[in-house]
Amino acid sequence: MTSITRRHFALLLPATVAACGGAPQPRGPVFKSYNGPPVTQVVVYKGRRQMYLLSGNRVLKSYGFGLGGQPLGHKQFEGDNKTPEGMYFVDRFNPRSRYHLSVGISYPNAHDRAFAAQYGLSAGGDIMFHGLGPEGRKLVQQRTDWTAGCIAVTDAEMEDIYAMLSMGVPVMIHA
C-alpha cells in the first residue's frame, strides 16, 4: 500500500507544481500566431494615415489608422492629444487592453522628457498601437482621430500586429 501511495505522489507532484504557476500559463484570449519573416521596423506616416510593417526593405503589411484628437504636430505634453513623431521602439505588450490588444512604444524618450521639463510639464506616456474595443468602436463612428495620441487600427488588424511585432522593433513615426 505504501508503494502505491508513493507512486501516486510521484505522479501527482509535477502536475500540482505546474498548476501553481510553475509552467507558463496562456495570457488572456487565444492569440494569432505568425510564422513569416521577422518585422524589423514599423514605419508610420501620420499625414497619409499609413503604417507599414517591414522586414528589411520589404513591406509585409500596411494599415490605415486613426490618431490622437489633434493629429498635426509632434506630441510634446501630457494631454495634448497628439501622436509623437520620431524614432521609438516596441517596449511592451498588453493582452488586456481596454482597446482589445495594445503594443506600447517607448515614448517619451529622454529628449521628449527634457523638452517638457523645461516648461515644467510632463511629456505624457502610454502611447500605443491598439485596436478599438467597445469604447473605440463607439468613438470611431463619431470621428477618425479619437485617441489621446495612440495609433488605432481595427481589432482584427491589431491581432495581426500583436502577433507580428516583438520587443525592441524600431518604430519610426513621420509627420
Side-chain angles (χ1 to χ4, degrees), residues 82-129:
K82 293 182 178 184
T83 303
E85 297 169 1
M87 178 63 79
Y88 300 95
F89 299 90
V90 170
D91 68 352
R92 63 199 177 281
F93 289 79
N94 182 0
R96 293 178 181 86
S97 169
R98 72 191 233 200
Y99 300 108
H100 189 57
L101 295 169
S102 61
V103 175
I105 65 167
S106 60
Y107 177 88
N109 60 29
H111 180 265
D112 298 319
R113 284 189 296 276
F115 179 84
Q118 72 184 354
Y119 294 95
L121 298 170
S122 167
D126 279 339
I127 300 299
M128 310 269 187
F129 298 117

Side-chain angles (χ1 to χ4, degrees), residues 45-51 63-68 71-72 144-145:
Y45 293 97
K46 290 172 36 177
R48 291 188 234 160
R49 302 296 193 280
Q50 281 294 304
M51 172 172 54
Y63 302 96
F65 55 80
L67 292 170
L72 299 178
T144 303
D145 295 322

Side-chain angles (χ1 to χ4, degrees), residues 6-72:
R6 286 184 185 155
R7 182 173 178 227
H8 282 113
F9 179 76
L11 292 172
L12 290 173
L13 183 60
T16 303
V17 170
C20 293
Q25 301 296 314
R27 308 182 295 174
V30 176
F31 296 99
K32 288 184 178 180
S33 61
Y34 174 71
N35 296 315
V39 174
T40 58
Q41 184 177 16
V42 178
V43 179
V44 175
Y45 293 97
K46 290 172 36 177
R48 291 188 234 160
R49 302 296 193 280
Q50 281 294 304
M51 172 172 54
Y52 302 96
L53 276 58
L54 304 170
S55 183
N57 291 327
R58 189 171 129 219
V59 175
L60 300 173
K61 290 273 191 166
S62 66
Y63 302 96
F65 55 80
L67 292 170
Q70 298 295 323
L72 299 178

